[in-house]
Amino acid sequence: MLSIEQNWLILVELLTDLKKRGVDIPNSVNKDISLLKTSINFYKKDMSHPDMIKEFDKANIRITEIQDKLLGYAEDVNDDYYNEWIDKLRRANLGEEIYKQAESSSKFVGGAPPGFSSAKIHLKKPIAEDRTQEIAEYFNLIIEFEDDTTIAIYGDSENIKKH
């Protein structure tokens, strides 16, 4: 597993925990995390191709931006909470596996992020990614495309069931 994938899992867990604590986080963070996962998966298809390397660079910039936002919210909770998450990210950057990712034969890497439920949907016809991301943001979900007609949805179980 790439360290950026481990950082992504940590940030998803942090986002989930902050929401459970009642912290008001903009829905745009869900969209950013979803797009980040898509970029990571795109890069992993061929890590030597120049376009893929550019995508990885973009993903590194995005993950830093998301991390800064979420750690700002964590710092507002209290110093111990903030330091706990800083430590997890530090350890992940040193190569430690903080969260295990389930093995899967699916094109989606692993199962649902820690604390999230998931669903897989096969669409009758393709839908625009921009529109799908708007829907995800509105309903507080993370959506990842497997192909033009297959998507995975991550989020709180109740939000997935409702929508």
Side-chain angles (χ1 to χ4, degrees):
M1 177 184 302
L2 300 171
S3 66
I4 194 169
E5 289 176 291
Q6 191 61 217
N7 286 343
W8 182 84
L9 287 169
I10 292 168
L11 293 178
V12 170
E13 179 67 17
L14 174 56
L15 174 64
T16 303
D17 194 66
L18 287 167
K19 287 184 177 191
K20 286 179 182 175
R21 290 173 177 267
V23 176
D24 186 29
I25 298 174
N27 286 336
S28 62
V29 175
N30 280 4
K31 179 179 179 183
D32 293 343
I33 285 180
S34 179
L35 292 173
L36 175 61
K37 184 62 171 170
T38 301
S39 294
I40 293 168
N41 286 344
F42 182 69
Y43 166 73
K44 286 177 58 178
K45 287 181 182 178
D46 179 1
M47 295 188 269
S48 63
H49 191 280
D51 289 341
M52 303 300 184
I53 294 168
K54 287 178 189 174
E55 197 62 34
F56 186 69
D57 290 341
K58 289 179 197 174
N60 276 315
I61 292 168
R62 260 192 228 124
I63 200 163
T64 301
E65 292 168 350
I66 295 166
Q67 179 178 307
D68 290 346
K69 285 179 190 176
L70 290 177
L71 287 174
Y73 291 112
E75 195 169 25
D76 291 342
V77 172
N78 66 50
D79 287 343
D80 289 339
Y81 184 76
Y82 170 79
N83 288 330
E84 172 189 338
W85 291 101
I86 288 289
D87 182 60
K88 286 180 183 185
L89 289 164
R90 181 191 57 77
R91 291 179 9 234
N93 285 329
L94 293 172
E96 186 177 332
E97 186 176 49
I98 309 301
Y99 296 109
K100 295 210 181 289
Q101 204 164 353
E103 294 297 320
S104 172
S105 60
S106 169
K107 289 184 183 177
F108 298 111
V109 180
F116 279 23
S117 295
S118 68
K120 191 172 185 179
I121 297 177
H122 298 281
L123 305 168
K124 289 183 180 181
K125 60 182 181 176
I127 185 171
E129 184 169 347
D130 291 347
R131 177 67 180 133
T132 306
Q133 293 303 337
E134 286 175 24
I135 294 167
E137 185 175 328
Y138 183 79
F139 293 110
N140 203 21
L141 299 168
I142 297 171
I143 295 181
E144 180 181 346
F145 283 79
E146 180 177 76
D147 56 40
D148 289 344
T149 58
T150 307
I151 58 176
I153 301 173
Y154 302 106
D156 289 332
S157 179
E158 291 305 314
N159 285 352
I160 290 174
K161 289 177 188 174
K162 287 180 191 175
H163 310 292

